[in-house]
Amino acid sequence: IIKLNCMKIPTKLTNFLSKNKVKFEEVHHRTVYTALDKAATLKIKPGLVAKTLILKAGKNLVMAILAANRNLDKVKFKKVAKIKSFEFVSERLMKSKFKGFKIGAIPPFGGLFKIPAFIDNGLVKEKTVFISAGTYESSLKVSPQIFEKVGAIRADISVAKEISKPKKKNKK
């Protein structure tokens, strides 16, 4: 039997989920640092893995939730979030604002951190999605419909990732 070195899901998250009656399945996996790695590890389509982006607009934080295989469409996001500009938050700010959660594994619940959250339309169309649970070794399998129930705003905020194709070698 292989015992995974599993970090416990932060209590703040489990309390939030039970208070909001969110049904979830805990999924343990090897340590991963990106949503694309999570998809590869769990052998699922990247479109089923949600990534959480934390952005700073002026003095305020805002959250964007999109599939691992998508990029944030900055123009659409600014319009939907009604902000003029934003930047990705620093690691230092992440550590101070999201205590108890690993950087890069922030759960996609704006309500948990009292910040506005926007979820991409593409994710909401799926039956189930995998989200970060605050650690690098565990995820939660949830219905994406719960995001709007807990306050996320559904919007068109992503664009397909451009995949660079390997250059073909010329045959002589």
Side-chain angles (χ1 to χ4, degrees), residues 22-24 47-50 65-67 108-109 118-131 140-155:
V22 174
K23 290 187 180 114
F24 66 91
L48 298 178
V49 177
I65 309 155
L66 46 145
F109 298 111
F118 298 87
I119 184 163
D120 189 57
N121 285 334
L123 263 182
V124 184
K125 291 176 184 144
E126 298 298 342
K127 208 169 75 175
T128 57
V129 294
F130 292 79
I131 62 169
L140 302 179
K141 185 178 177 181
V142 299
S143 158
Q145 281 68 46
I146 57 119
F147 292 105
E148 287 174 278
K149 193 181 126 194
V150 297
I153 297 158
R154 185 176 173 170

Side-chain angles (χ1 to χ4, degrees), residues 85-146:
S85 66
F86 66 84
E87 58 189 291
F88 289 94
V89 297
S90 68
E91 209 168 289
R92 202 168 80 214
L93 184 66
M94 291 287 278
K95 282 180 180 163
S96 70
K97 291 278 186 203
F98 302 94
K99 283 183 172 54
F101 295 92
K102 297 285 182 200
I103 292 172
I106 304 297
F109 298 111
L112 177 62
F113 306 105
K114 295 176 180 49
I115 61 173
F118 298 87
I119 184 163
D120 189 57
N121 285 334
L123 263 182
V124 184
K125 291 176 184 144
E126 298 298 342
K127 208 169 75 175
T128 57
V129 294
F130 292 79
I131 62 169
S132 292
T135 76
Y136 301 127
E137 297 82 21
S138 49
S139 297
L140 302 179
K141 185 178 177 181
V142 299
S143 158
Q145 281 68 46
I146 57 119

Side-chain angles (χ1 to χ4, degrees), residues 6-9 14 24-28 133 138-141:
C6 289
M7 296 271 305
K8 213 165 109 45
I9 291 176
T14 53
F24 66 91
E25 183 185 323
E26 198 173 333
V27 180
H28 296 286
S138 49
S139 297
L140 302 179
K141 185 178 177 181

Side-chain angles (χ1 to χ4, degrees), residues 5 7 29-42 49-53 68 91 94 101-107 131-139 161:
N5 183 12
M7 296 271 305
H29 47 74
R30 72 175 175 80
T31 302
V32 293
Y33 299 104
T34 70
L36 285 172
D37 282 349
K38 186 181 295 183
T41 297
L42 296 174
V49 177
K51 62 181 172 185
T52 308
L53 304 178
E91 209 168 289
M94 291 287 278
F101 295 92
K102 297 285 182 200
I103 292 172
I106 304 297
I131 62 169
S132 292
T135 76
Y136 301 127
E137 297 82 21
S138 49
S139 297
K161 257 188 191 196

